[in-house]
Amino acid sequence: MEEKQLTRINKYLSEVGYCSRRAADKLIEQGRVTVNGEVPEMGTKVGPDDEIRVNGRLITEPEDAPVYLAFNKPVGIVCTTDTRVEKDNIIDFINYPKRIFPIGRLDKPSEGLIFLTNDGDIVNKILRARNNHEKEYIVQVNKPVTKEFIRRMRSGIPILGTVTRKCFAEQTGRNEFRIILTQGLNRQIRRMCEYLDYRVTKLKRVRIMNIPLDVEVGKWRHLTPKEVHEIQNMVSDSTKTHQ
């Protein structure tokens, strides 16, 4: 087996969702973990062919283990799970071996961060976590940004039969601004700009909640157990279903 396929045992136990790395270290110190029937040393690396047990119980990655991905969506990819309708859909593009679906949307002309998962409960909680579900964007428009434009964007714009929530916005370039939303109205930023007679030329989502965009365009990564735990804490006031 090649070295690159091996993972430290504490990291392995964390990644399969058994416990944190720190807790795994304690279990190893206490001799409660075995690898192929032997008590391992701290820092021992394991691979897919190794038999790992804790207190005699075989540890495997369950088939239905929750998947949480952070994906940098390119322009032109559609956030739909209907692979029959859209050939440039997000599911075929990522081609993940388990069934996953996006949390929320990012329209076809936009790029940047989007989550995908197979955990329906966290989807519901995130979409209902109004104040904790911050989404940050860098937006370029077709003409110079003014102080009045920023003031109006911050204070709320009438679109889709409502007024957008007050939000953070700041100018970051001659024709560029940064905005943080806690809403998910359809094509919200584009509609807000259009109301003020601006046209979006580039829209990039650079953060969702506690997760920054840190992968290249068209690439994805798994959220770490720590990141997932932080998200769970942030949406802990949201129930799984409507009462």
Side-chain angles (χ1 to χ4, degrees):
M1 186 180 296
E2 296 180 7
E3 182 70 16
K4 65 182 180 180
Q5 294 178 296
L6 302 180
T7 304
R8 287 182 181 272
I9 191 167
N10 60 351
K11 182 180 179 184
Y12 173 84
L13 289 172
S14 172
E15 287 181 344
V16 300
Y18 184 83
C19 62
S20 68
R21 291 194 198 188
R22 182 174 295 179
D25 287 339
K26 289 182 179 179
L27 291 171
I28 295 166
E29 286 178 356
Q30 294 166 1
R32 295 162 63 186
V33 178
T34 60
V35 177
N36 302 323
E38 302 289 334
V39 176
E41 297 179 1
M42 194 69 69
T44 294
K45 293 186 177 182
V46 296
D49 296 330
D50 289 315
E51 181 188 271
I52 296 100
R53 292 179 181 268
V54 178
N55 297 325
R57 173 190 159 196
L58 181 64
I59 305 300
T60 59
E61 182 176 358
E63 284 299 310
D64 59 349
V67 173
Y68 307 98
L69 305 184
F71 174 53
N72 188 347
K73 185 190 90 67
V75 171
I77 297 300
V78 182
C79 294
T80 179
T81 57
D82 192 344
T83 57
R84 299 166 300 172
V85 176
E86 296 282 358
K87 65 173 184 177
D88 294 324
N89 66 81
I90 194 169
I91 302 303
D92 285 344
F93 185 91
I94 292 179
N95 196 28
Y96 194 77
K98 294 183 181 180
R99 182 179 178 274
I100 55 174
F101 41 89
I103 302 180
R105 296 179 65 84
L106 197 56
D107 63 20
K108 189 173 182 178
S110 302
E111 64 179 281
L113 182 61
I114 187 164
F115 294 160
L116 296 101
T117 185
N118 59 358
D119 181 352
D121 287 339
I122 204 170
V123 174
N124 293 333
K125 287 182 177 182
I126 287 175
L127 296 181
R128 280 200 277 274
R130 286 179 39 153
N131 296 324
N132 285 331
H133 187 196
E134 285 190 350
K135 295 167 290 182
E136 182 176 341
Y137 302 82
I138 301 296
V139 186
Q140 294 177 8
V141 287
N142 63 328
K143 56 186 181 180
V145 172
T146 64
K147 289 183 179 179
E148 177 64 8
F149 172 85
I150 293 295
R151 186 191 70 78
R152 297 285 299 277
M153 293 291 280
R154 287 173 178 169
S155 60
I157 300 290
I159 61 170
L160 298 173
T162 187
V163 177
T164 59
R165 286 184 207 145
K166 291 183 179 181
C167 66
F168 173 89
E170 69 172 2
Q171 185 172 357
T172 51
R174 184 171 182 271
N175 289 40
E176 184 182 273
F177 66 97
R178 182 167 71 102
I179 186 168
I180 301 174
L181 302 180
T182 56
Q183 263 176 309
L185 300 178
N186 184 35
R187 297 172 67 87
Q188 180 171 342
I189 296 172
R190 295 180 189 275
R191 292 179 191 273
M192 291 170 74
C193 290
E194 287 166 6
Y195 183 86
L196 299 175
D197 199 29
Y198 281 73
R199 180 174 55 83
V200 171
T201 58
K202 183 177 181 180
L203 191 153
K204 184 176 186 178
R205 186 153 65 197
V206 296
R207 178 174 64 86
I208 300 174
M209 302 174 77
N210 57 318
I211 310 299
L213 180 65
D214 58 4
V215 290
E216 297 176 10
V217 176
K219 303 294 185 182
W220 57 267
R221 68 171 177 85
H222 288 279
L223 297 186
T224 67
K226 180 182 178 183
E227 289 171 334
V228 174
H229 182 68
E230 288 173 349
I231 291 173
Q232 293 280 14
N233 284 341
M234 293 171 79
V235 301
S236 60
D237 291 338
S238 298
T239 53
K240 293 182 181 181
T241 56
H242 289 294
Q243 299 297 314

